[in-house]
Amino acid sequence: MKLRTAVAVAMAASIATFTTSANAADISGAGATFPYPIYAKWADAYKKETGIGLNYQSIGSGGGIKQIQAKTVTFGASDMPLQAADLEKYGLVQFPTVLGGDVPVANLDGVKAGELHLDGKTLGKIFLGDIKRWDDAAIKKLNPQVMLPAQPIVVVHRSDGSGTTFIWTDYLSKVSPDWKAKVGASTAVEWPVGVGAKGNAGIAQNVMNTKGAIGYVEYAYAKQNSMMTIDMVNHDGKTVAPSAAAFAAAAAGADWIGTPGFSVILTDQPGAEAWPIAGATFILMHKQPRDPALAAEALKFFAWAYAKGGTMAADLDYVPMPAAVAAAVEAMWSRDIRDSSGKPLYAPSK
Amino acid sequence: MLAMASSLPVARPALGPAFRHWRAFDCGFRLVTLTATVAVLVLLVGIMIALIKGAAPAFAAFGPHFLVDSSWNPVIEKFGALAPIYGTAVTSFIAMLIAAPLGLGIAMFLTEICPTRLRRPISIAIELLAGIPSIIYGMWGLFVLAPVLQNTVQPVLIGLFARVPGLSALLAGPPYGIGVLTAGLILAIMVLPLITSVACDVFATAPAVLKEAAYGVGATTWEVFRHVVLPYARVGVIGAMMLATGRALGETMAVTFVVGNAHRISGSLLAPGTTISATIANEFTEAVGERYGAALMALALILFAITFVVLAAARLLLLHAGQQTGQRP
Amino acid sequence: MKRYRARRRRNAVAVSVCAGATLLGLGWVILILLALLREGRSGMSLAVFTEMTPPPGAAGGLLNAIVGSLMMTALAVALGTPLGIAAATYLAEYGRHGRLRHVVRFFNDILLSAPSIVIGLFIYEILVAPLGHFSGYAGACALALIVVPVVVRTTEDMLLLVPDPLREAAAALGLPRAAVITRIAYRAAGTGMLTGVLLAIARISGETAPLMFTALNNQFISVDMGSPMASLPAVIFQFALSPYKEWQALAWTGALIITLAVLALNVTARTIASARSRK
């Protein structure tokens, strides 16, 4: 009998827990792994400041697009900007939050970060599988001073759909006609060679554990783990190392405000200091959200991020958006995002 | 006497409110249990229907060619199930190839050879393997096993068989550490305790009289095992193998970490590949586009169908064998 | 004499091969457990049980994951156990000789061996997509679908082990069928059924795939089951594949916690079973 009463008490207690848990629902977001470190940091700081939680799950840009289309999250995040036609079709607005860059990383004994240089064509050949060993003539030509081992190249790519992949394959399509013909650019492609790893994190993990590996990760991941980054020859023919300044240089000439949906792609941009594989990361929200209250909270969060999150972003090696772009984005919110009765969900605090 | 018995009323509780209460409870109870049973049936049928519905666009777009196509191109939305099916089959095959003799050997050791005092601790230790969740196998495989394989074992294998005609293609390629062979190895460790525990139980049912008789005429331990215990246990052992195969086919987390996630069929066991469950786990949350999601659902349906076929075959085999030896499956 | 020696040699070879197999099997166990202990112990501290999962680069704990796992497991067991016991009761008691039994047993075995990722996809299709959000309820339902076949199988086996004369004696005394089952059969098979439930809990504690598409994950602690919930396996999956040292350490610690919990459940189940058989 004692067991029975104990079970009954336990069940009552658990039912009480389940039903009285109606605290404020968190804002939910899902998508790109590229900005995950900064979104997590912002969410943590925002919760400490305002008590409102933002739950962001990095399931890949493709996932972010899919989930916001399915309306299962408050906002989606993608490194691949949707074109104006798609935005119209799904009733979405899009805006950029931070800039970053894809960086090729490798694992070669005796070679340190920045010692190896590659250009777009050679990179394309490596990822196509045409160049199979590190001591290939093409690589040697670009790196006469480096001791290249006679090791096979292990290509590591993403196994999941990703905006990081989109930026990478978009760049390769621009610099290698072979790549464009055989593979193309998208969040998920049919990779000719290599192993697949899940997330930016997975590629970082794989490259660090596999000798002779080459992969691509978002800059923050490369810097966090002190990975061996490779310098690239950019559009103007200059060799640049990846850095926040190089990403900002790539974005210098971009026309954010003039492009519908802010969908600017920053690969292979002109500029002596420009990093050739830069990109912004975007947020997608519905023009008429399913849950207006949560959507309004999300907009307040992003306004806070634009105003106060810049230092945190810079700490993690992202480039915050310029103030003019932030202002244009906020104007777009108050214009386009409304609840079912037509009331705008955001009022710019000016 | 019988005539008297049939004319006497059967003893029954008094026909009062308590009786009616029990009658209602009786009928209600039976109804509840029957409903629950039908619910289990309905659940399974529901899963099959949901999968078929989700996979329909893929089969509509690609037709039966889907099953033999090895491309997997999300850009132009062209998908084929051959590479995942191949990976699933090969990893499970390697797993059973390694785990079956190992499991039977351990079971024989535990039932025939092992001193009684050690029997319990060793069998508990082996069962610990079953208790470890699969994600931990994945982590161990990726962080501990794969580097060891990449740095020591695989180069040795490649060098050893480089000049042997047939095997050099099977064991070719740069040592990744992860890949189809590693995934098969991890799966083997995972299904080992299943095979061992079922085999142990089955071997223990062999009648002691028969074994003693065999020992009595001078048979060695191995001969007793091979000619007395094994034939008796054939039915159960096959059942265990089928269960283990089913487990290996569907394993997701451990395989996702170490299989290499490459949508390619490669002749080499050391190359990366993919399995059905690893593909779904990696790509489902981001499959944008109707055909992509439907292709993944179609893969799930195929996996379900394969598991169904393996289990049905096992049941038929056991039924047939059971009829022959008079044992209950 | 030569044949005798050959037979002895064959026997020696076979015995040593089997002994070698056992050593190999034991070797794996020791290797894996050692790796788990070594990596997980360094991260183990009280903070793991009191703080939430941290953002990259900060220290934290696994509180939201542990709470989420406990809640979803509890709900899954609450949903799945009654259903499983009821179905097994019909199979073992009422429908013992019918054709429905064979069909249901077969289908139950299929459900038991079904890849858990397929179950996750099914729940996504019926509970997440139509309702428009991930939730702890969906996660719990997916886990319940894994609990049900385990409970059905073990409960049915246990009920069949109860000797029929026991039931016949109760019926002869005038007990209605339902009372025979609830008061006699359940009581006799009780410890076995409890073992089955414990094994089911152990099984779902480590399941990741069904939670991936249903409960998703949550950076903060939440007891609201209508929204995404963290769970230990999901957090481990995310952290293990990350390049951040703190996260990897937490992943190993979480793995150690799950393994210890599962082993404890298995040992408890065994002890109960053997205590019962000794009675």
Side-chain angles (χ1 to χ4, degrees), chain B residues 95-96 98-107 126-127 129-130 137 185-199 240 244 247, chain C residues 21-29:
Chain B
M96 293 309 293
I98 298 177
L102 222 61
L104 291 179
I106 298 179
I126 302 283
E127 274 190 34
L129 278 179
Y137 278 105
L185 208 57
I186 298 281
L187 280 179
I189 305 177
M190 290 182 75
V191 299
L192 184 65
L194 192 61
I195 298 179
T196 306
S197 66
V198 177
R247 174 94 198 265
Chain C
T22 311
L23 281 175
L24 200 62
L26 287 177
W28 291 130
V29 179

Side-chain angles (χ1 to χ4, degrees), chain C residues 46-78:
Chain C
L46 200 58
V48 166
F49 295 98
T50 53
E51 290 183 40
M52 299 188 296
T53 49
L62 293 170
L63 180 62
N64 46 334
I66 296 176
V67 166
S69 274
L70 283 175
M71 288 180 73
M72 284 195 282
T73 305
L75 187 58
V77 169

Side-chain angles (χ1 to χ4, degrees), chain A residues 59 62-63 66 161 190 194 196 210, chain B residues 72 150 260-261 264 284-286 288:
Chain A
I59 56 179
K66 181 170 172 183
E190 190 171 28
T210 312
Chain B
W72 190 267
Q150 189 197 25
N261 300 315
R264 269 189 304 283
F284 186 73
T285 42
E286 315 125 2
V288 187

Side-chain angles (χ1 to χ4, degrees), chain A residues 66 159, chain B residues 51 54-55 58-59 62 66 72 79-81 84 263 274-303, chain C residues 117-118 121 213:
Chain A
K66 181 170 172 183
S159 63
Chain B
L51 286 181
F59 283 114
F62 304 115
F66 182 69
W72 190 267
F79 301 104
H263 274 280
T274 186
T275 64
I276 295 180
S277 37
T279 306
I280 299 176
N282 274 321
E283 302 180 32
F284 186 73
T285 42
E286 315 125 2
V288 187
E290 202 201 352
R291 267 197 221 171
Y292 199 171
L296 289 172
M297 280 294 201
L299 280 181
L301 187 63
I302 294 173
L303 183 60
Chain C
I117 195 166
V118 170
L121 281 183
F213 316 128

Side-chain angles (χ1 to χ4, degrees), chain B residues 228-295:
Chain B
V228 178
V229 178
L230 213 49
Y232 213 92
R234 222 192 331 244
V235 167
V237 164
I238 293 180
M241 296 301 168
M242 292 296 190
L243 263 176
T245 309
R247 174 94 198 265
L249 286 171
E251 182 50 52
T252 312
M253 292 326 289
V255 174
T256 312
F257 277 75
V258 296
V259 79
N261 300 315
H263 274 280
R264 269 189 304 283
I265 300 182
S266 168
S268 166
L269 289 178
L270 299 181
T274 186
T275 64
I276 295 180
S277 37
T279 306
I280 299 176
N282 274 321
E283 302 180 32
F284 186 73
T285 42
E286 315 125 2
V288 187
E290 202 201 352
R291 267 197 221 171
Y292 199 171

Side-chain angles (χ1 to χ4, degrees), chain B residues 50-217:
Chain B
L51 286 181
I52 294 177
K53 202 170 78 120
F59 283 114
F62 304 115
H65 184 65
F66 182 69
L67 292 171
V68 292
D69 191 0
S70 68
S71 59
W72 190 267
N73 195 332
V75 179
I76 55 175
E77 291 217 307
K78 182 164 182 293
F79 301 104
L82 193 62
I85 294 179
Y86 174 80
T88 308
V90 170
T91 49
S92 305
F93 181 71
I94 296 175
M96 293 309 293
L97 204 65
I98 298 177
L102 222 61
L104 291 179
I106 298 179
M108 176 188 156
F109 180 83
L110 283 176
T111 49
E112 302 291 327
I113 307 166
C114 186
T116 326
R117 251 180 315 132
L118 287 178
R119 211 164 278 185
R120 234 181 120 69
I122 295 185
S123 64
I124 292 182
I126 302 283
E127 274 190 34
L128 285 180
L129 278 179
I132 299 177
S134 55
I135 194 168
I136 291 158
Y137 278 105
M139 285 172 68
W140 182 79
L142 182 62
F143 293 120
V144 178
L145 191 63
V148 167
L149 286 180
Q150 189 197 25
N151 295 324
T152 45
V153 177
Q154 283 181 350
V156 166
L157 280 177
I158 296 174
L160 215 60
F161 293 105
R163 262 154 301 189
V164 177
L167 289 172
S168 64
L170 204 61
L171 290 168
Y176 290 102
I178 55 182
V180 167
L181 185 62
T182 317
L185 208 57
I186 298 281
L187 280 179
I189 305 177
M190 290 182 75
V191 299
L192 184 65
L194 192 61
I195 298 179
T196 306
S197 66
V198 177
C200 268
D201 288 342
V202 170
F203 290 166
T205 63
V209 259
L210 287 181
K211 290 199 285 189
E212 285 162 15
Y215 282 124
V217 296

